[in-house]
Amino acid sequence: MRKSHPLRRVVLATAATVSGVVLLLSLKPSTDPGATQAAGTGAGAAAQEAAQGGAGAVVSGTMTGDAAQTQYGAVQVRITVVQNKITKAEAVQAPKGGTSTQKTELAVPRLNAAVVARQSANIDTVSGATYTSEGYKKSLQSAIDKANASAGASQGSGSAQAAGTFTGDAAQTQYGAVQVRITVAGGKITKAEAVQAPKGGTSDQKTQLSVPKLNQEAVAAGSADIDSVSGATYTSEGYKKSLQSALDKAKAGKGPSSGAGNAGGSGAGSSSGSSGSSGAAQATTVTGSVEQTQYGPVQVRITVAGGKITKAEAVQAPKGGTSDQKTQLSVPKLNQEAVAAGSADIDSVSGATYTSEGYKKSLQSALDKAGV
């Protein structure tokens, strides 16, 4: 009996050990995924977090974070997300001038690479560029938040979902404002154009060189992730900022209604009895913004019915001296062109360039208000 006790203890101990190992193995899978997700992703893990928590929503597209102000200037980050992964990060704004330029050149490439590697805003500050790094991370987190918020709202390529014409905010550059207007159909950019671009002196040449290329790139890429044109860096950067603004408006559905074919949303002339997108709407009159020119203000008023311009007129135009002749020469032609084209994409009248440009800007403002 005494000899059997040690053997019995060995058997019992072995059985207990095996049972313990089996229990540990059975528990391990339930804890590993959480630990794996926590490692290296951080609290704001790009769009992956949104996809995992958003009922399988897939995020793709370009998101620009809010500009973060620092002691040495603004920092603004744009990320490109493909299938819930950050594939590219870049600073569209960063401190410049003096030592700030050197620090930016030192820090930004490292920060960009760190974002793609870590897939979150939980990245290290670059030594010697603390302010730039902190501003970068703040703007980056803003971009990530926008990506997360878009989960389920925009699937596929991430291009603009609404259909119509959208005008981006004017982006100020060292040589003048740049403003881009895009036409979207079927979730794709079908046309891009600059309604404002730097003018005068060498700026004319740079604008003529860069804008056609940028327009083509915008349509081809379907996003603001396009290359700057060599020799026209400021114009290119302004173009991309305004283009991104137009894309953001298209994604948010700000602008023309893709449902009803009438002038959207003013309520004053819409027909509540029309069904769907039949376009059976009453005429609506919309007045554009006052545009100041070298020779006086220009303001355009349009009448819209069934989603089309039926009448255009200048309620203000330059007067006095030779301006009277130029106004009489140009305005009737511009009015006709506006109705014929149904947009502000019309030719300037030779000999009345300033009046024509002011007319087109005010006309575009009226179109934006009407949602045409």
Side-chain angles (χ1 to χ4, degrees):
M1 294 293 292
R2 290 181 181 178
K3 292 181 179 179
S4 64
H5 285 297
L7 181 58
R8 184 181 301 172
R9 290 176 182 174
V10 170
V11 172
L12 291 173
T14 301
T17 301
V18 172
S19 299
V21 171
V22 171
L23 180 60
L24 287 172
L25 290 174
S26 67
L27 290 175
K28 187 175 181 181
S30 65
T31 58
D32 273 358
T36 302
Q37 288 178 3
T41 57
Q48 289 182 352
E49 182 176 286
Q52 291 168 359
V58 177
V59 178
S60 293
T62 302
M63 292 80 180
T64 304
D66 297 332
Q69 297 299 325
T70 76
Q71 186 172 332
Y72 298 101
V75 182
Q76 190 172 28
V77 178
R78 181 169 63 219
I79 59 173
T80 300
V81 179
V82 178
Q83 297 294 308
N84 301 336
K85 292 183 179 180
I86 301 175
T87 59
K88 183 179 181 182
E90 55 188 322
V92 294
Q93 287 192 69
K96 293 182 181 180
T99 59
S100 293
T101 301
Q102 296 175 337
K103 291 183 178 182
T104 291
E105 292 173 352
L106 165 72
V108 169
R110 296 183 185 180
L111 294 167
N112 291 340
V115 172
V116 176
R118 296 294 296 274
Q119 293 291 303
S120 78
N122 186 23
I123 57 178
D124 294 331
T125 298
V126 175
S127 178
T130 304
Y131 289 102
T132 298
S133 299
E134 292 305 314
Y136 184 103
K137 288 191 280 186
K138 288 180 183 177
S139 182
L140 170 61
Q141 186 59 55
S142 170
I144 288 172
D145 290 343
K146 291 179 181 180
N148 289 339
S150 70
S154 58
Q155 299 182 6
S157 65
S159 58
Q161 297 298 309
T165 302
F166 303 88
T167 304
D169 297 333
Q172 298 298 325
T173 75
Q174 187 172 332
Y175 298 101
V178 181
Q179 190 172 27
V180 178
R181 182 171 65 224
I182 58 173
T183 301
V184 179
K188 295 182 180 180
I189 302 174
T190 59
K191 183 179 180 182
E193 54 189 322
V195 293
Q196 287 192 67
K199 293 183 180 181
T202 58
S203 293
D204 287 332
Q205 296 175 338
K206 292 183 177 182
T207 292
Q208 293 172 3
L209 164 73
S210 62
V211 168
K213 294 181 180 180
L214 293 167
N215 291 339
Q216 291 176 352
E217 285 293 318
V219 174
S223 73
D225 186 17
I226 57 179
D227 293 330
S228 295
V229 176
S230 178
T233 305
Y234 289 102
T235 298
S236 298
E237 291 305 313
Y239 184 102
K240 289 190 279 186
K241 289 178 184 177
S242 183
L243 171 58
Q244 186 58 53
S245 170
L247 287 166
D248 290 342
K249 291 179 181 180
K251 289 179 182 178
K254 295 178 181 178
S257 169
S258 57
N262 51 42
S266 67
S270 60
S271 175
S272 59
S274 62
S275 59
S277 57
S278 64
Q282 297 176 4
T284 303
T285 301
V286 184
T287 303
S289 59
V290 177
E291 297 296 330
Q292 297 297 329
T293 76
Q294 187 171 333
Y295 298 102
V298 180
Q299 187 176 29
V300 179
R301 182 169 62 218
I302 59 173
T303 301
V304 178
K308 296 182 179 180
I309 303 173
T310 59
K311 183 180 179 181
E313 56 188 323
V315 293
Q316 288 192 65
K319 294 182 180 180
T322 58
S323 294
D324 287 332
Q325 296 175 338
K326 292 183 177 182
T327 292
Q328 292 172 3
L329 165 72
S330 62
V331 168
K333 294 182 180 179
L334 293 167
N335 291 338
Q336 291 176 352
E337 286 293 318
V339 174
S343 73
D345 186 17
I346 57 179
D347 294 330
S348 295
V349 175
S350 178
T353 304
Y354 289 102
T355 298
S356 299
E357 291 304 312
Y359 184 101
K360 289 190 282 185
K361 289 179 184 179
S362 182
L363 172 59
Q364 185 58 51
S365 169
L367 288 166
D368 290 341
K369 292 179 182 179
V372 176

